[in-house]
Amino acid sequence: MSTLRTGDDTWDIATSVGATAVMVAAARAIETERPDPLIRDPYARLLASHAGTGVWETILLDDSLVDKVAAIDAQTAAVLEHMRGYQAVRTHFFDAYFTHATQAGIRQVVILASGLDSRAYRLDWPAGTTVYEIDQPKVLAYKSRTLAENGVAPSATRREVAIDLRRDWPAALCATGFDTTVPTAWLAEGLLMYLPADAQDQLFAHVTLLSAPGSRIAAETAARINDAWRRESRERFERVATQLSLELTFYLDDLIYHDDDRAVVADWLNLHGWRATAHNSADEMRRRGRWVDVAAGEDWDAVAHFVTAERA
């Protein structure tokens, strides 16, 4: 279970779960600046560098700091490289998912817990596409304000749904113009690990009720990495941070719900009117040339999966 989370906790972009969105944006920025990028996010560095979360975006944005980490502990440096590569592959996979969904004629998109996702701005959406972004009010406000102040406009009709996903978000979504009679492309990326098991089930139940036939959903599952490896990784990172005089305001693992009884996403969807397929993220990383061995185990349950499904 999570050690920092409560049922009524909240956050802005610089604290708790909000700060993890900055980490993800930082990883997208680094990938974008590679000579052979899998994805291109021209707004990622802008969003990450103005958030003020401190050490986490510094570690992921600053290549020289990663080199310093490697000089102290090669294993911890490998974990950081793995994190960067994973985020690039994950982004690439779900970008392709949206491309296929719009090619199939879907023009209504919902990004659950959108964080600093910039797809409403950077993807080439067909005319008539509406992208709904659901997240905490302060997180959405930071993103829209930062991009607007820098002259960045959405490439689709973008509608904010400023609400915690543990509240009545379906009502808030519908009040913003969401149409339950047309197919929707849903995305739950970087979300499920921050929900307890029952909340995950409830989330997908709501999505199912709101989805017209032909709707699609893509989700990143919560990885089930063994406790011993997680403890060792944390101890290594803390030792490195101490040597580099880096102040850790939180540790990612403390924000995640490690529920042993969490439903297998593809199985749940297949039992509730969807046709779902799970894709092993390690296989995707190898296929895209971004795999870094961090000795965390390579069995089916140890890594996250990218699930795609279509509503019958």
Side-chain angles (χ1 to χ4, degrees):
M1 297 293 290
S2 169
T3 59
L4 290 180
R5 304 295 309 288
T6 64
D8 60 353
D9 58 339
T10 188
W11 49 85
D12 58 19
I13 198 61
T15 59
S16 187
V17 177
T20 68
V22 182
M23 295 166 56
V24 174
R28 292 200 308 269
I30 289 295
E31 179 66 25
T32 297
E33 294 159 10
R34 287 176 61 120
D36 59 341
L38 284 178
I39 56 102
R40 287 182 171 83
D41 186 343
Y43 314 121
R45 182 171 285 274
L46 171 66
L47 290 168
S49 61
H50 286 69
T53 60
V55 63
W56 286 103
E57 78 265 25
T58 299
I59 289 172
L60 291 174
L61 281 173
D62 186 350
D63 275 329
S64 66
L65 190 57
V66 173
D67 292 339
K68 293 176 184 176
V69 172
I72 298 170
D73 187 332
Q75 175 69 10
T76 299
V79 170
L80 294 175
E81 289 296 331
H82 184 93
M83 289 171 61
R84 287 178 171 179
Y86 174 81
Q87 296 300 336
V89 170
R90 185 181 80 172
T91 301
H92 181 273
F93 184 93
F94 292 125
D95 282 359
Y97 156 76
F98 278 129
T99 296
H100 296 150
T102 56
Q103 287 175 344
I106 293 177
R107 296 294 181 268
Q108 182 167 257
V109 171
V110 179
I111 302 177
L112 301 160
S114 58
L116 297 184
D117 186 309
S118 63
R119 291 185 176 96
Y121 296 83
R122 66 179 178 81
L123 293 188
D124 186 16
W125 298 101
T129 301
T130 300
V131 179
Y132 295 87
E133 295 192 11
I134 306 178
D135 212 321
Q136 296 273 0
K138 292 180 180 179
V139 173
L140 290 175
Y142 167 79
K143 177 166 61 178
S144 59
R145 181 181 66 253
T146 300
L147 293 176
E149 288 175 351
N150 286 274
V152 181
S155 53
T157 298
R158 177 178 175 268
R159 295 181 180 172
E160 294 186 357
V161 185
I163 190 170
D164 191 309
L165 282 167
R166 295 165 297 186
R167 309 295 180 254
D168 189 5
W169 64 266
L173 177 62
C174 290
T176 314
F178 178 83
D179 188 348
T180 60
T181 68
V182 301
T184 303
W186 301 84
L187 178 61
E189 177 189 28
L191 165 61
L192 300 184
M193 66 285 291
Y194 303 114
L195 297 177
D198 57 347
Q200 174 180 301
D201 292 348
Q202 185 178 57
L203 179 83
F204 286 123
H206 285 320
V207 168
T208 299
L209 287 173
L210 292 167
S211 294
S215 292
R216 301 184 182 193
I217 186 168
E220 173 198 17
T221 70
R224 300 184 181 185
I225 299 173
N226 69 77
D227 290 341
W229 188 88
R230 288 193 292 109
R231 284 194 300 270
E232 179 187 349
S233 179
R234 177 174 185 151
E235 290 168 0
R236 284 176 171 272
F237 196 90
E238 288 174 344
R239 286 196 298 269
V240 169
T242 297
Q243 292 189 51
L244 293 176
S245 299
L246 298 173
E247 181 181 358
L248 299 178
T249 55
F250 69 91
Y251 192 77
L252 179 62
D253 198 56
D254 290 334
L255 304 176
I256 295 172
Y257 287 92
H258 301 285
D259 285 357
D260 293 334
D261 59 349
R262 187 184 296 274
V264 176
V265 173
D267 292 349
W268 192 100
L269 291 170
N270 281 325
L271 289 171
H272 291 83
W274 299 81
R275 296 186 297 272
T277 303
H279 309 264
N280 184 291
S281 65
D283 291 343
E284 287 295 315
M285 290 181 73
R286 291 187 179 93
R287 186 176 300 115
R288 302 299 175 186
R290 294 295 185 270
W291 176 257
V292 178
D293 187 5
V294 293
E298 297 182 29
D299 60 279
W300 181 255
D301 289 330
V303 299
H305 292 80
F306 306 146
V307 177
T308 55
E310 185 169 358
R311 189 87 161 96

